[in-house]
Amino acid sequence: MAEIKLPESWLRGTLSEVSSVQRAVMHALVLAQEDLEVWCGGLSDAELNARPASLAPIAFHLRHIARSLDRLLTYAEGRQLDSQQIAAMKTEMDPGAVHKELFSELASALAQSANRIRAIAPASLDEPRAVGRNQLPTTVGGLLVHVADHTQRHVGQAITTAKVVGAHLK
């Protein structure tokens, strides 16, 4: 039986009830989840933790995607990071990641992020926000666009590393 390949999430007519900026960001998150499942979902714990050519492991990218979503959306919501978020950030490169835990954290973060993105009022997109210790200036909309950009950047890095890990195994 042939596998049915769906068009990318933004071409499926989904999330039409959500305003365009939020919809685009949420579609980027759907695409991230689908691509990571295809390219990294079948990897072993050892492959997820591998560091060929000293690259960051795939496990780092999965953790970083999940945890940076929380951090960026915290800023978008007008809050600063708490001690738990900062502590979690410091463990993203830790070795010994387990497949089930990584993908569970990622799925949970993506679902929670979609809910948080839905809750952002479109009228607030131009509201100023401050990011990080240095209180760097941006806007709610700038943070949302960065959520999509940053997530996709790390998806690409995870996929590339998965291909390198796969080539080393052959």
Side-chain angles (χ1 to χ4, degrees):
M1 183 172 181
E3 182 180 330
I4 297 173
K5 178 131 172 70
L6 294 172
E8 288 188 8
S9 57
W10 64 279
L11 293 170
R12 295 180 199 159
T14 58
L15 303 172
S16 58
E17 73 286 359
V18 181
S19 72
S20 59
V21 172
Q22 283 95 329
R23 180 174 45 244
V25 176
M26 291 168 68
H27 280 146
L29 298 184
V30 169
L31 181 60
Q33 186 165 26
E34 291 173 354
D35 282 348
L36 289 169
E37 190 57 46
V38 166
W39 290 98
C40 304
L43 299 176
S44 68
D45 293 350
E47 292 166 325
L48 291 168
N49 288 285
R51 298 201 62 192
S54 299
L55 293 171
I58 297 162
F60 161 77
H61 294 293
L62 299 182
R63 285 183 187 129
H64 185 69
I65 290 167
R67 296 172 190 179
S68 67
L69 286 169
D70 178 45
R71 293 190 298 269
L72 291 167
L73 291 171
T74 296
Y75 292 131
E77 294 162 344
R79 297 180 289 118
Q80 293 299 305
L81 303 184
D82 64 29
S83 60
Q84 286 181 306
Q85 289 168 305
I86 293 168
M89 179 175 54
K90 292 177 181 179
T91 65
E92 291 174 359
M93 279 291 286
D94 284 0
V98 176
H99 183 287
K100 184 177 180 180
E101 293 169 5
L102 280 173
F103 279 88
S104 177
E105 179 180 1
L106 179 66
S108 177
L110 290 167
Q112 289 173 13
S113 295
N115 289 334
R116 291 169 75 180
I117 292 164
R118 277 182 190 275
I120 294 172
S124 72
L125 295 178
D126 290 327
E127 289 180 9
R129 292 294 186 261
V131 175
R133 235 181 304 191
N134 294 330
Q135 298 291 286
L136 299 172
T138 189
T139 62
V140 172
L143 279 156
L144 288 181
V145 169
H146 187 64
V147 162
D149 289 345
H150 184 259
T151 299
Q152 287 299 316
R153 181 180 315 140
H154 283 280
V155 169
Q157 291 174 319
I159 290 170
T160 299
T161 304
K163 289 179 178 183
V164 172
V165 166
H168 277 66
L169 298 177
K170 291 181 181 179

